[in-house]
Amino acid sequence: MNTDTTIVCTDAMANFLGLFDLSIAPELLFYSYLPIIFISLLLGLFVLFKDNFSLLSRTFFSIAVLFSLFIFNELIQWLAVPAGVVYFSWSLGLLLNYLVLLATFYFVFLFVQKRDLNLKGKIILSSFALPVIIFLSTKLNVIAFNMELCQAIPGILWNYLYISEVALASVFFIWGIRLSLSNLSIKNKTQLSSILLLFGSAFFLLTYFASYYFADATGVYGINLTGPLGMIIFIIIISLLIIKFGIFRNIKLIATQGLVITVSLLVGSLLFVVKDVITHNIILVTFTFTSLSGYFLIKSVNKEVKLREEIENLALKFEKANERLKQVDRLKSEFVSIASHQLRSPLTSIAGYASLLREGNFGILPAKMKEPIDRIEHSARFMAESIEDYLNVSRIESGNMKYHLTDFNLRDEIEKLCNDLRAEALHKGLILLFRTDLNSKSFVNADLGKTQQIIHNLISNSIKYSNRGSITVYIKDDIAKHLIYVEVIDTGIGMSTSTLQSIFQKFERGDEANTINVAGTGLGLYVALKMAEAMHGTIKAYSEGEGKGSRFVLQLPLVM
Amino acid sequence: MNSKALTRTLYLFMVGLILFSISALFYKAVLQQDFDIIAVNDESNPTE
């Protein structure tokens, strides 16, 4: 024990602050230690601020600070002249080393598990550090001080550190392998980044372990210098995670800058170490090349980040617009529902009661009431049909029209329809003819109700727009083409070329239509065409001109 | 006490313990210089 005079290492001369020998400093300062302290603190700070002080970023910052302290402590250990300071620094190194280890575990846990460690876990984790903290100033940490070499002789606690390092590295390694083997087919970005971090951290710890263990084992403490290189690997991995996987939001650019500065600094610092002129020049060229490519890398990443920001803004706008569209669509559906139930049902009721009144179910009607009742019934039925047309358009456009396809005999259905509509045609003085030219059994695979509706619509139109002559419904097939055709030919008002082009569009009606059938909606043919198309068919219209009649052809696939 | 307060207590305890042990180490190593010194190639025979 010596409290009056300071014990100093004999192989060194204190030339800085009376405590340090800087003769060994340049190499260490410029190449290994200071750049690493600088880069770790810089990256830690950037991550902390850019990730809004999240738990993950705080933990990363803690690692950076602890690591920088550790490196600084190493520097003191190398440069200090008083034995007490070297001894202190050496002993403290164990604690800092162990804290870096625990912080690394905590960081990896947070990153991979995406949740905080519970209180029990934190107590267990802290308890691992207890032996190191409690026995910090005992011989379990440092046995004695080697005066000649100005080195401490490590105690058993260092073995505890080495075992912990190897154990934790193994845990990370096994964890990484297990993650790699699980869900191989659906490996996502998060999982890949976790695997990378696990392997990277394992490597980081092993580098650490190796540099100290072998330095102790061989007594060649120069090996220690390779230890901090582990941190470079760790920094590179974190930067990679940031650049490649975008962990810690929005700092891709900063991470790239960090990476470029690290590499440039490391290459540049070699210039201070190397004395040989040729090597010096080679390093100078490498440094220039690295810095230049780094500059272009930063530039391109900057461009990419800006583009991404623009895309994100656009995506946000689209999302809002989409939300609005969904809302409008919902309103439209609600409207359709209201129209369907609240308008159609009363109309059916009005038409039904008018019919019952006309037929005398509520007593014999006076003769002069018959016409008004007929008008009520007719108008109500017309209105119901119009609403049905609007509803059909709405269903077709929203893709909600349902088709129940079945095989049925088209010829029989058309014959029935012709029989039903013949009276209406006769009422207008028209002859309704039904002709066939079939080589097959005329089976089609279509929605029966909708097919009836289409053909009913075509024949009704012909009746409406013809004042004399005949209407011929002609059904024929083409077995080679697997098609069946239903032609409705009339001798009515016909269509001009321009009308022919637009007749199937919504709300389009023939030029003469308004004078003949005032009440039409102009939706019938549009709905008919859409329905035919949905059943893999089509409708075409032909006319030789106004006043020369029309021909509508429905084409459907034939079932052989 | 809730989990957050317990966690904070745990951290304070650990930080306190670490600061205390570092102070003790500093006192022992730097101020008192209370450690064994050995000569080169004579690790088995620590001397003061």
Side-chain angles (χ1 to χ4, degrees):
Chain A
M1 194 186 287
N2 190 339
T3 51
D4 300 327
T5 54
T6 307
I7 309 167
V8 291
C9 292
T10 47
D11 63 342
M13 284 285 290
N15 55 13
F16 183 68
L17 295 176
L19 288 173
F20 305 105
D21 177 3
L22 287 189
S23 60
I24 194 174
E27 248 178 81
L28 283 174
L29 281 174
F30 291 119
Y31 190 62
S32 189
Y33 286 28
L34 284 188
I36 292 167
I37 291 178
F38 177 69
I39 295 296
S40 348
L41 282 179
L42 204 66
L43 191 66
L45 274 173
F46 272 135
V47 165
L48 188 68
F49 281 101
K50 290 289 172 179
D51 208 36
N52 297 327
F53 291 81
S54 69
L55 183 59
L56 192 68
S57 66
R58 275 182 288 157
T59 313
F60 182 71
F61 181 68
S62 309
I63 295 178
V65 169
L66 283 170
F67 191 82
S68 303
L69 279 175
F70 169 76
I71 297 288
F72 188 69
N73 186 56
E74 287 273 292
L75 206 58
I76 294 174
Q77 199 174 309
W78 275 95
L79 305 178
V81 179
V85 176
V86 179
Y87 184 96
F88 171 78
S89 158
W90 207 290
S91 304
L92 190 62
L94 177 81
L95 178 66
L96 292 171
N97 217 324
Y98 212 89
L99 291 180
V100 169
L101 172 96
L102 294 182
T104 307
F105 172 78
Y106 189 47
F107 177 76
V108 172
F109 182 89
L110 285 177
F111 187 86
V112 179
Q113 293 290 102
K114 305 273 174 282
R115 64 176 170 88
D116 195 5
L117 199 61
N118 59 23
L119 183 64
K120 203 174 148 191
K122 281 174 184 160
I123 292 172
I124 293 171
L125 197 64
S126 307
S127 65
F128 274 104
L130 280 179
V132 176
I133 300 169
I134 293 168
F135 301 113
L136 192 70
S137 53
T138 67
K139 285 188 178 182
L140 292 175
N141 184 354
V142 174
I143 298 169
F145 193 79
N146 185 330
M147 204 59 208
E148 304 293 324
L149 292 173
C150 200
Q151 284 170 1
I153 299 164
I156 197 158
L157 275 177
W158 287 84
N159 290 330
Y160 174 64
L161 171 73
Y162 300 145
I163 291 167
S164 301
E165 274 172 350
V166 173
L168 191 57
S170 312
V171 167
F172 286 162
F173 196 65
I174 292 165
W175 199 354
I177 287 178
R178 278 189 62 182
L179 264 187
S180 313
L181 295 179
S182 66
N183 301 326
L184 268 174
S185 54
I186 50 158
K187 214 161 271 162
N188 54 24
K189 246 173 128 176
T190 329
Q191 205 175 344
L192 280 174
S193 56
S194 296
I195 292 165
L196 184 64
L197 183 72
L198 282 167
F199 286 136
S201 305
F203 190 72
F204 168 54
L205 289 174
L206 284 178
T207 320
Y208 239 101
F209 156 74
S211 71
Y212 279 82
Y213 182 77
F214 292 118
D216 280 348
T218 57
V220 182
Y221 283 91
I223 298 175
N224 258 353
L225 290 174
T226 56
L229 290 174
M231 188 61 184
I232 298 174
I233 291 160
F234 197 63
I235 288 172
I236 289 172
I237 284 167
I238 294 288
S239 307
L240 248 181
L241 288 178
I242 292 165
I243 296 165
K244 188 89 183 149
F245 298 103
I247 66 160
F248 302 124
R249 281 158 284 151
N250 263 339
I251 52 169
K252 196 170 172 178
L253 180 65
I254 291 152
T256 315
Q257 288 165 341
L259 194 67
V260 168
I261 292 170
T262 314
V263 176
S264 302
L265 270 178
L266 287 176
V267 176
S269 61
L270 275 174
L271 291 170
F272 296 94
V273 181
V274 177
K275 303 282 182 277
D276 172 48
V277 178
I278 296 170
T279 322
H280 195 272
N281 287 343
I282 290 171
I283 290 169
L284 196 65
V285 171
T286 316
F287 176 70
T288 316
F289 181 73
T290 315
S291 304
L292 269 178
S293 17
Y295 169 74
F296 287 114
L297 178 68
I298 291 171
K299 220 174 151 186
S300 80
V301 170
N302 186 25
K303 202 174 163 188
E304 193 199 315
V305 167
K306 273 189 182 153
L307 275 175
R308 198 190 61 193
E309 276 170 4
E310 270 173 37
I311 289 169
E312 276 171 2
N313 280 341
L314 277 177
L316 203 70
K317 277 184 193 164
F318 276 127
E319 207 176 304
K320 277 183 188 163
N322 198 22
E323 203 57 44
R324 175 87 191 119
L325 277 177
K326 276 182 190 164
Q327 203 182 350
V328 170
D329 192 56
R330 207 166 42 241
L331 287 173
K332 194 175 120 185
S333 302
E334 277 170 21
F335 169 73
V336 167
S337 170
I338 289 166
S340 134
H341 294 103
Q342 297 187 3
L343 292 177
R344 200 168 47 173
S345 310
L347 278 173
T348 315
S349 183
I350 291 168
Y353 274 100
S355 174
L356 289 172
L357 276 172
R358 187 165 47 82
E359 284 164 13
N361 287 23
F362 300 103
I364 300 163
L365 283 180
K368 62 177 180 181
M369 276 190 73
K370 273 204 163 180
E371 202 196 331
I373 295 286
D374 276 352
R375 284 194 178 180
I376 291 173
E377 191 192 347
H378 182 262
S379 299
R381 287 202 192 283
F382 171 74
M383 202 168 163
E385 279 169 23
S386 300
I387 288 173
E388 192 58 37
D389 275 348
Y390 286 120
L391 287 176
N392 279 334
V393 170
S394 166
R395 285 189 203 116
I396 286 167
E397 288 183 350
S398 63
N400 288 331
M401 188 68 113
K402 299 277 184 291
Y403 295 88
H404 305 286
L405 302 182
T406 49
D407 287 353
F408 61 87
N409 190 321
L410 187 63
R411 183 198 175 282
D412 292 351
E413 295 305 324
I414 292 174
E415 193 170 14
K416 275 186 226 163
L417 271 173
C418 286
N419 291 338
D420 291 344
L421 289 165
R422 192 157 283 126
E424 197 182 317
L426 274 175
H427 186 71
K428 274 191 84 178
L430 302 164
I431 304 165
L432 178 58
L433 300 166
F434 175 59
R435 286 186 181 159
T436 60
D437 179 11
L438 291 167
N439 299 309
S440 68
K441 287 178 181 174
S442 72
F443 269 85
V444 290
N445 182 259
D447 185 307
L448 177 59
K450 302 228 170 20
T451 311
Q452 282 173 337
Q453 197 180 329
I454 294 168
I455 296 164
H456 186 280
N457 187 296
L458 293 179
I459 301 174
S460 292
N461 273 350
S462 287
I463 295 173
K464 274 179 207 160
Y465 299 111
S466 301
N467 292 322
R468 57 184 172 75
S470 65
I471 291 152
T472 309
V473 180
Y474 180 43
I475 176 166
K476 62 175 183 179
D477 56 9
D478 184 338
I479 292 177
K481 289 182 179 169
H482 293 250
L483 290 171
I484 191 159
Y485 305 95
V486 183
E487 296 190 7
V488 179
I489 308 156
D490 64 47
T491 52
I493 59 169
M495 288 173 280
S496 64
T497 320
S498 64
T499 307
L500 268 178
Q501 283 170 353
S502 60
I503 195 77
F504 288 106
Q505 287 172 13
K506 256 191 295 186
F507 303 110
E508 279 295 334
R509 308 183 65 207
D511 301 332
E512 291 288 309
N514 288 325
T515 53
I516 295 175
N517 175 24
V518 182
T521 56
L523 291 171
L525 282 176
Y526 170 78
V527 171
L529 177 66
K530 291 292 169 191
M531 284 179 174
E533 282 173 351
M535 298 187 288
H536 312 293
T538 187
I539 303 175
K540 283 174 183 159
Y542 304 91
S543 176
E544 289 180 5
E546 285 180 8
K548 292 181 180 171
S550 312
R551 182 162 67 100
F552 284 86
V553 183
L554 165 68
Q555 174 192 307
L556 285 171
L558 188 64
V559 175
M560 298 302 287
Chain B
M1 268 206 282
N2 61 21
S3 173
K4 208 172 172 182
L6 281 171
T7 307
R8 195 167 293 161
T9 314
L10 174 73
Y11 285 160
L12 280 174
F13 172 74
M14 292 306 289
V15 169
L17 204 62
I18 288 169
L19 289 178
F20 177 78
S21 64
I22 292 175
S23 309
L25 176 67
F26 187 78
Y27 178 77
K28 183 193 166 191
V30 182
L31 301 181
Q32 294 296 309
Q33 300 187 87
D34 175 18
F35 46 84
D36 294 339
I37 292 169
I38 56 161
V40 192
N41 301 326
D42 195 11
E43 289 177 19
S44 58
N45 182 26
T47 55
E48 230 165 282

